Amino acid sequence: DAGVIQSPRHEVTEMGQEVTLRCKPISGHNSLFWYRQTMMRGLELLIYFNNNVPIDDSGMPEDRFSAKMPNASFSTLKIQPSEPRDSAVYFCASTLGLAGYEQYFGPGTRLTVT
Amino acid sequence: GENVEQHPSTLSVQEGDSAVIKCTYSDSASNYFPWYKQELGKRPQLIIDIRSNVGEKKDQRIAVTLNKTAKHFSLHITETQPEDSAVYFCAAINSGGSNYKLTFGKGTLLTVNP
């Protein structure tokens, strides 16, 4: 298996632009998590899905952030409009089941908003 | 919700020495405690985990101990090597609950000096 796949790996954009991050979970995994990592705040859970259904989006910082999972093999995290404080590494992780199982992280997307 | 505190934030040891990282958690219902290692520029990866029905688990040079009464758990690395240098994250979750959020500590930057 190729593991969790994320694209793009790096994204540089100007403030106000729309940003879309993409994730393909490991085949057979039914739970997907979006995290944001910064030096100041560490690893923050933004939202997670189980069987393509959003379960908890309480970590989404603002209405500018939205996430979808239209099918079991694809998820997107969208920021519109982007702001410099959104600059971070965004990780997608997947797991079989919801809790008590290893979360497999993707390589991350490094987002820079200027 | 769960709160995980991790100490120290940075740790520097000489090659061959032992390293200990400690975490405390707040939710007594938490019963699954994984540890993730993140090398510079890489994704977090699970290195060891422990469930609440055991007090200690070992895997070669790494071990984790759990004290449910005191609500703390620790990572022990013996005979440290330069390749152990990374950021280590502890985490906690109630695997039988309805909230499947894995709560991470802030991380410990371990530096092993040759």
Side-chain angles (χ1 to χ4, degrees), chain B residues 14-26:
Chain B
Q14 289 299 123
E15 183 176 358
D17 287 351
S18 295
V20 180
I21 302 170
K22 300 181 179 181
C23 290
T24 60
Y25 61 98
S26 61

Side-chain angles (χ1 to χ4, degrees), chain B residues 5 26 30 35-36 39 47 57 67 77 85-87 94 99 109-112:
Chain B
E5 299 284 340
S26 61
S30 289
W35 285 87
Y36 284 79
E39 298 178 358
I47 55 171
K57 183 176 180 180
N67 184 326
I77 306 174
S85 296
V87 178
N94 175 4
N99 182 348
L109 174 61
L110 172 65
T111 303
V112 180

